[in-house]
Amino acid sequence: GENVEQHPSTLSVQEGDSAVIKCTYSDSASNYFPWYKQELGKGPQLIIDIRSNVGEKKDQRIAVTLNKTAKHFSLHITETQPEDSAVYFCAASNRDNYGQNFVFGPGTRLSVLP
Amino acid sequence: DTGVSQNPRHKITKRGQNVTFRCDPISEHNRLYWYRQTLGQGPEFLTYFQNEAQLEKSRLLSDRFSAERPKGSFSTLEIQRTEQGDSAMYLCASSEDLGDYEQYFGPGTRLTVT
C-alpha cells in the first residue's frame, strides 16, 4: 500500500521568511496530492492540492510542486505570517480508485516567530 | 452551508463503556469518511460511505467499531467496550462523488478513555 513520509517534523522560521515542507510517496499509482493545515483543536483544512499531470500550482503565498519521477512533492509558503503557525499534513491518493484511499504524512509543526 | 459538523466535540468515558459519535456532512456530498488521529500523527483512514453503502473498512476498524449512515445523510460511529488505546481524535470528512474527491474535514470528536 501507499506510504507517505514528511520532513521536517518541526520547522521554525522568522516572520517574512519562506517555509518549505517536503513529502515523498511510494505508490506510483497515486495521482492526487492535497495539503492540509490543522490548527489546535480544529480539523484539518484543505489549503492547496495538485494533480499528477501538473508540476506546480500557486495560490497567493502558497505553492506546491510535484516531481512524479522522484515521487516527491513540496509545499512552499512565502512571506510567512504568525497565523501560518499550525501543523501541516500532506496526503496522497489515487483518483482512479475513487479517491477514498487518502494516506497522510505524519505532519510538520510550523512555528512562525514574530 | 456551514461545513462538516461533529458531535460531541469532547467525550470522556470509562474503560468498558460504549460511545457513539455523530457526523453531519456537507449537504450535497455523497461520500463520508471516518478517520482516527492520535497525538503527533496524521489522520488514519477507518471507513467510508458512498450514500448509505459502507464500501471500505480499514483493518484498524476492529469488531468493536461500527459505523452507519442509514439514510445517506448523517453518520454515526460507535465504539463498544472502549479501551484506553481508543483515546484519539475521531475525524469525519465528506466529499463530492466526482473530480478529485477533495475531502473536507469536520472539527473532530476528542475521545478520552480513563
Side-chain angles (χ1 to χ4, degrees), chain A residues 43-93:
Chain A
Q45 175 191 4
L46 178 66
I47 57 172
I48 196 167
D49 55 17
I50 192 167
R51 298 180 182 179
S52 60
N53 60 349
V54 174
E56 183 176 3
K57 183 177 178 180
K58 290 184 180 179
D59 182 3
Q60 299 181 353
R61 297 186 297 109
I62 295 174
V64 57
T65 58
L66 171 65
N67 182 329
K68 280 178 55 179
T69 303
K71 296 181 189 168
H72 290 173
F73 57 113
S74 300
L75 178 71
H76 304 253
I77 306 174
T78 59
E79 302 172 15
T80 53
Q81 301 167 3
E83 51 265 39
D84 294 329
S85 296
V87 179
Y88 291 81
F89 294 98
C90 61
S93 81

Side-chain angles (χ1 to χ4, degrees), chain B residues 2 5 8 15 18-20 26 30 50 85 91 100 102 104:
Chain B
T2 56
S5 61
R15 189 176 54 186
N18 298 344
V19 294
T20 300
I26 294 171
N30 293 334
Q50 181 178 6
L91 293 163
D100 292 323
E102 296 97 335
Y104 296 90

Side-chain angles (χ1 to χ4, degrees), chain B residues 35-112:
Chain B
Y35 289 84
R36 182 175 72 185
Q37 185 178 29
T38 53
L39 202 61
Q41 298 298 318
E44 295 176 292
F45 171 78
L46 292 178
T47 188
Y48 98 100
F49 293 83
Q50 181 178 6
N51 299 312
E52 66 276 9
Q54 187 174 17
L55 297 186
E56 186 173 344
K57 291 193 268 188
S58 162
R59 59 180 174 78
L60 293 175
L61 209 68
S62 76
D63 55 7
R64 296 184 298 106
F65 288 68
S66 63
E68 293 183 344
R69 194 182 183 198
K71 296 183 179 179
S73 56
F74 72 91
S75 175
T76 57
L77 178 67
E78 181 183 16
I79 309 175
Q80 296 181 329
R81 304 182 303 281
T82 52
E83 302 173 355
Q84 287 188 320
D86 296 331
S87 295
M89 175 79 86
Y90 289 85
L91 293 163
C92 175
S94 69
S95 75
E96 291 184 305
D97 198 15
L98 52 85
D100 292 323
Y101 307 96
E102 296 97 335
Q103 294 185 20
Y104 296 90
F105 283 82
T109 295
R110 179 163 296 284
L111 173 66
T112 303

